[in-house]
């Protein structure tokens, strides 16, 4: 049986492909397990220097597959408990990974599918992309980390608007409010993502990982703590082979050849 998440590595980039196209890559239990395993595999592989998360078929992801809940058990189904062993463990693993993670979005990115994209470090979207934090439409609250990431990315007021209304927005508005980093033509998305991922894969991976930790932690810490975090991470970065290579390349007036070490 084909996995719900496909995994391949090319030129230092791990491509994780959500693979339930018949239901717009909606998440069932097996997809959660496969995605966790894929991030675990990529994050532990020193040869992987960047990660791309994308969707197979007509869209990125429609979020949760509601058909997995038996209608007769809907009244007793605990959505919160379900989160703990599905989305939450995936998101926490993503947060630990030092490699940069890119979400490549096309078609619909909805509900928890959008939450997952928000947890990535960068988001590139095709012009035809449509986004919606659609939880309110079925009487639920945003989950899978969107309550954490969305206000930090677009600001509190805009995040609350998108959550309360559940309205769909197109790629232009998504770029305007900072929800995505870049919008490209549909036919150019794969090439743009590949080029960006390969560029990141040739950068000092450990330094990028330290940047991620320091910046994400800055929202919960005061200035003194952030400054101390910078002291700690700069000490670590200064001991890497990539730092030494970068300085040597500067003196020799050449392009540095970073190895991620």
């Amino acid at each position: 049986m084909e996995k719900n998440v496909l995994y391949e590595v090319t030129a230092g980039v791990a491509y994780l492909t959500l693979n339930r196209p018949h239901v717009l890559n909606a998440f069932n239990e097996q997809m959660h397990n496969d995605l966790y395993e894929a991030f675990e595999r990529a994050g532990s592989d020193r040869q992987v220097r960047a990660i791309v998360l994308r969707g197979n078929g007509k869209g990125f992801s429609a979020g949760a597959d509601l058909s997995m809940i038996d209608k007769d058990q809907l009244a007793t189904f605990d959505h919160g408990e379900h989160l703990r062993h599905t989305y939450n463990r995936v998101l926490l693993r993503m947060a630990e990974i030092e490699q940069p993670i890119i979400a490549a979005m096309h078609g619909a990115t909805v509900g928890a599918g959008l939450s997952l994209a928000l947890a990535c470090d960068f988001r590139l979207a095709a012009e035809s992309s449509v986004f919606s934090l659609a939880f309110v439409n079925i009487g639920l609250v945003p989950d899978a980390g969107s309550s954490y990431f969305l206000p930090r990315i677009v600001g509190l007021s805009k995040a609350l608007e998108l959550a309360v209304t559940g309205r769909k927005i197109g790629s232009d508005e998504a770029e305007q409010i900072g929800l995505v980093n870049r919008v490209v033509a549909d036919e150019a998305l794969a090439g743009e993502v590949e080029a960006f991922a390969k560029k990141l894969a040739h950068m000092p991976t450990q330094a990028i990982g330290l940047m991620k930790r320091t910046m994400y932690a800055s929202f919960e810490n005061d200035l003194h703590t952030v400054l101390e975090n910078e002291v700690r991470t700069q000490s670590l970065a200064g001991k890497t082979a990539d730092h030494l290579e970068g300085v040597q390349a500067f003196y020799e007036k050449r392009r540095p050849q970073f190895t991620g070490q």
Side-chain angles (χ1 to χ4, degrees):
M1 182 174 65
E2 192 169 34
K3 278 186 169 286
N4 288 173
V5 176
L6 306 179
Y7 185 95
E8 61 178 304
V9 177
T10 304
V13 180
Y15 293 89
L16 282 55
T17 307
L18 305 177
N19 189 42
R20 299 188 75 217
H22 58 290
V23 289
L24 202 57
N25 299 316
F27 276 80
N28 63 2
E29 202 78 29
Q30 188 58 50
M31 180 176 273
H32 285 293
N33 292 333
D34 287 353
L35 187 59
Y36 181 84
E37 290 175 5
F39 274 120
E40 181 70 25
R41 183 177 175 184
S44 303
D45 188 346
R46 302 301 297 179
Q47 301 305 310
V48 171
R49 308 274 297 283
I51 301 170
V52 172
L53 180 63
R54 59 191 180 184
N56 194 8
K58 296 182 178 180
F60 182 76
S61 175
D65 188 347
L66 297 178
S67 67
M68 68 180 180
I69 306 174
D70 191 316
K71 291 181 180 179
D72 296 331
Q73 298 178 346
L74 184 59
T76 58
F77 184 82
D78 191 332
H79 290 276
E81 188 60 35
H82 174 71
L83 290 171
R84 284 200 175 98
H85 67 272
T86 55
Y87 295 104
N88 289 8
R89 71 170 187 148
V90 172
L91 294 166
L92 291 171
R93 185 65 185 100
M94 291 171 68
E96 295 170 349
I97 289 174
E98 72 174 13
Q99 300 100 319
I101 305 172
I102 306 164
M105 299 172 289
H106 72 290
T109 302
V110 178
L114 178 54
S115 301
L116 186 64
L118 294 171
C120 296
D121 302 307
F122 305 100
R123 285 160 296 282
L124 274 62
E127 288 178 344
S128 64
S129 297
V130 177
F131 309 90
S132 174
L133 205 65
F135 298 92
V136 72
N137 297 332
I138 54 172
L140 292 177
V141 301
D143 62 24
S146 54
S147 298
Y148 178 89
F149 290 106
L150 189 61
R152 287 163 170 74
I153 293 171
V154 304
L156 177 59
S157 182
K158 180 59 68 173
L160 192 57
E161 175 200 330
L162 294 176
V164 168
T165 64
R167 69 182 181 88
K168 295 178 181 179
I169 64 172
S171 59
D172 286 346
E173 183 175 356
E175 185 175 34
Q176 182 181 5
I177 65 176
L179 182 67
V180 301
N181 297 88
R182 192 187 315 164
V183 174
V184 300
D186 287 36
E187 63 275 12
L189 180 63
E192 289 284 341
V193 169
E194 180 180 4
F196 184 43
K198 285 183 176 179
K199 179 178 180 179
L200 293 176
H202 285 86
M203 297 179 74
T205 310
Q206 290 189 56
I208 291 174
L210 293 169
M211 288 179 203
K212 287 171 57 172
R213 293 195 183 112
T214 303
M215 288 194 179
Y216 285 135
S218 70
F219 289 97
E220 282 76 46
N221 291 305
D222 59 20
L223 177 59
H224 175 77
T225 303
V226 171
L227 291 174
E228 285 303 309
N229 282 340
E230 290 179 348
V231 169
R232 179 180 58 83
T233 55
Q234 197 69 297
S235 292
L236 293 171
K239 294 179 175 67
T240 62
D242 278 342
H243 167 62
L244 298 178
E245 164 62 12
V247 173
Q248 189 68 28
F250 173 80
Y251 285 125
E252 295 176 1
K253 297 184 177 0
R254 60 175 174 80
R255 186 183 299 274
Q257 300 297 314
F258 296 123
T259 63
Q261 304 302 313

